[in-house]
Amino acid sequence: MKIDRVRLFPIITPRETGVTNQHILVRLDTADGATGWGEMSDLSHLPLHQIDWPALERQLAALLVGQDPANLLRLEDQLLRAFPEESYKYSRSGAVRQGVDAALLDLVARAQGVPVHQLLGGQLRDKLKVCYPFFALRSVEQARQSLVRLAEKRAEGFDLIRVYVGANPEADVVFLQGVADQFAGQVAVKSLDFSNALDWRRCWALTERYTDIVEVMLVESVAPAHDLDGLAEFRRRSRWPVSEHVFHLFHGWQLLRRGSVDILNLSPYLLGSLSVCLRLVALAEAARASVLLGTTQELSLGTAAIAHLGAAARVLDYPSDSAGPRLYTADVTRAPVQYEAGYLKVPTGPGLGIEVDEALVAQLAGTGWSFGTNFAAARDRTPT
Ligand code: MG
Ligand code: MG
């Protein structure tokens, strides 16, 4: 089996919150008719410049055509040389590798007639507990609207949320008090996510204030990016486990070695492959640390890849963040990934277990940045 063709399909999908997000789908074909699809998910994050996708398509073809797709570790190594680690939460390199990695896994598993988790060593679980996100609140009015959306999400079966906090404490308090008053016993709060926007001391003061209102399972990104000492200062004082996004394998080691976190937040969009995510799961296992699976808000293809990762992860002791297919109001698949009672079900079909509908790919084709130069909107995922 040899890769014969690499194609990229830029698309735009709307979200229920009114913003639109870019993604690039990856299609790999072999000369003997095997196909795999992957997804570079949610490219609508800073930096402001976007991927020159025709150029990227040519470069990926130069790298991949003629190679055996089943040689997954060799290809991962080559992709890592071509698209190096970037130490940034919205790494473009990570997204490129993520899309190709998923397409390779989909292609190889389909050719073998097995689900992707079989390629990862088998299945430890058939569903993952997930939470629904509430993005940063800039106003009390937004907080009230978010409580209305929470009632809708509760009706859809979500009973766990994560909340981006710190942008406007008054709005945070209104939202969290609403959660406590209107949803007690129905909705739990997985995490308060400070998004690396505040120093650890400010995060600590707000955590103490907010946890007087609602109990939370964990806190995330409670210091500026790269501030390992700030995270460790917070963690020494905290009865809540501290989670942080992992940029790359060595970063995972640094976070654990320095006592900066309890939980590694692992995500293929950032780390670039399911295989490196599993190596970080092993690192967490060795350190007796915890793991959760993060998100940038993937479509069904990207979410399915995370579900297969979760199926095969030996350590996975906190709920995952994969709710993308419930945020977007359009997708490119014949049927989306399935959610049931607050769980994401691991697809059972061959490959990623998701069938791409090429008519929908054509319908959603396009590129475009929806946030202008309003960087708070880009970060908070709110309409400008
Ligand atoms: Mg986060
Ligand atoms: Mg995102």
Side-chain angles (χ1 to χ4, degrees):
M1 208 163 50
K2 281 199 170 31
I3 297 169
D4 182 49
R5 193 168 180 196
V6 180
R7 275 177 282 178
L8 301 183
F9 300 87
I11 60 164
I12 302 177
T13 59
R15 281 192 189 177
E16 59 187 4
T17 49
V19 301
T20 58
N21 291 80
Q22 308 175 69
H23 321 265
I24 295 177
L25 301 180
V26 182
R27 176 176 171 154
L28 301 177
D29 292 282
T30 65
D32 51 351
T35 296
W37 286 91
E39 171 191 309
M40 302 172 189
S41 312
D42 190 5
L43 300 166
S44 299
H45 286 278
L46 297 169
L48 198 49
H49 68 267
Q50 297 297 298
I51 289 175
D52 177 352
W53 68 269
L56 177 62
E57 188 179 66
R58 289 193 295 276
Q59 299 293 4
L60 286 174
L63 199 66
L64 297 172
V65 168
Q67 302 241 37
D68 178 355
N71 210 340
L72 291 163
L73 291 177
R74 177 182 294 277
L75 290 172
E76 185 191 12
D77 191 58
Q78 292 181 357
L79 284 162
L80 197 48
R81 287 164 197 270
F83 302 95
E85 293 158 345
E86 287 176 322
S87 294
Y88 171 56
K89 193 155 70 179
Y90 300 107
S91 161
R92 293 276 187 252
S93 279
V96 169
R97 282 185 274 116
Q98 168 210 23
V100 176
D101 175 70
L104 286 166
L105 288 166
D106 188 46
L107 190 157
V108 173
R110 277 176 194 276
Q112 295 180 14
V114 298
V116 160
H117 56 74
Q118 290 293 325
L119 299 184
L120 306 178
Q123 185 168 25
L124 294 169
R125 50 187 80 76
D126 59 10
K127 60 182 181 178
L128 280 62
K129 185 70 188 172
V130 293
C131 61
Y132 186 88
F134 282 85
F135 297 105
L137 301 167
R138 295 275 160 190
S139 68
V140 168
E141 178 50 32
Q142 274 183 341
R144 300 219 166 89
Q145 290 163 3
S146 291
L147 288 167
V148 173
R149 184 173 316 122
L150 177 53
E152 293 164 10
K153 295 300 144 187
R154 180 69 196 99
E156 287 177 22
F158 286 101
D159 56 6
L160 189 64
I161 62 172
R162 64 195 171 94
V163 188
Y164 287 88
V165 293
N168 179 336
E170 191 192 354
D172 291 342
V173 166
V174 168
F175 179 70
L176 295 171
Q177 194 66 56
V179 173
D181 294 345
Q182 299 168 36
F183 298 94
Q186 299 177 60
V187 173
V189 179
K190 189 200 87 168
S191 62
L192 302 176
D193 191 333
F194 288 85
S195 306
N196 307 112
L198 302 174
D199 63 75
W200 74 265
R201 225 182 262 286
R202 288 189 173 92
C203 292
W204 177 246
L206 289 176
T207 298
E208 288 202 304
R209 189 169 162 199
Y210 296 166
T211 51
D212 282 344
I213 304 172
V214 288
E215 190 48 80
V216 303
M217 296 170 72
L218 61 105
V219 293
E220 186 161 280
S221 300
V222 290
H226 307 287
D227 184 3
L228 301 180
D229 295 329
L231 286 178
E233 289 289 346
F234 186 109
R235 180 171 173 257
R236 265 192 284 277
R237 288 161 176 79
S238 177
R239 72 181 173 86
W240 301 278
V242 172
S243 163
E244 186 54 285
H245 295 265
V246 181
F247 299 140
H248 48 73
L249 195 55
F250 182 61
H251 183 229
W253 162 254
Q254 288 175 305
L255 286 166
L256 293 171
R257 174 72 184 82
R258 295 275 278 273
S260 302
V261 299
D262 301 280
I263 304 167
L264 298 181
N265 177 330
L266 304 181
S267 206
Y269 84 90
L270 173 49
L271 291 160
S273 72
L274 301 195
S275 158
V276 71
C277 290
L278 288 173
R279 294 200 287 283
L280 280 153
V281 169
L283 184 67
E285 183 179 10
R288 303 217 191 289
S290 298
V291 167
L292 68 81
L293 299 181
T295 187
T296 187
Q297 304 309 346
E298 296 79 6
L299 297 169
S300 275
L301 269 175
T303 303
I306 293 168
H308 288 285
L309 170 64
R314 279 175 56 88
V315 180
L316 184 58
D317 27 28
Y318 286 95
S320 305
D321 295 340
S322 293
R326 290 301 182 90
L327 264 65
Y328 297 109
T329 57
D331 205 328
V332 294
T333 56
R334 282 184 209 144
V337 286
Q338 296 300 307
Y339 290 88
E340 195 176 273
Y343 285 83
L344 168 65
K345 293 165 80 174
V346 178
T348 54
L352 291 171
I354 295 293
E355 304 306 320
V356 172
D357 182 333
E358 293 186 53
L360 291 173
V361 175
Q363 203 176 309
L364 297 170
T367 57
W369 172 264
S370 60
F371 302 105
T373 52
N374 185 340
F375 302 143
R379 204 190 70 180
D380 299 347
R381 318 269 89 193
T382 49
T384 51

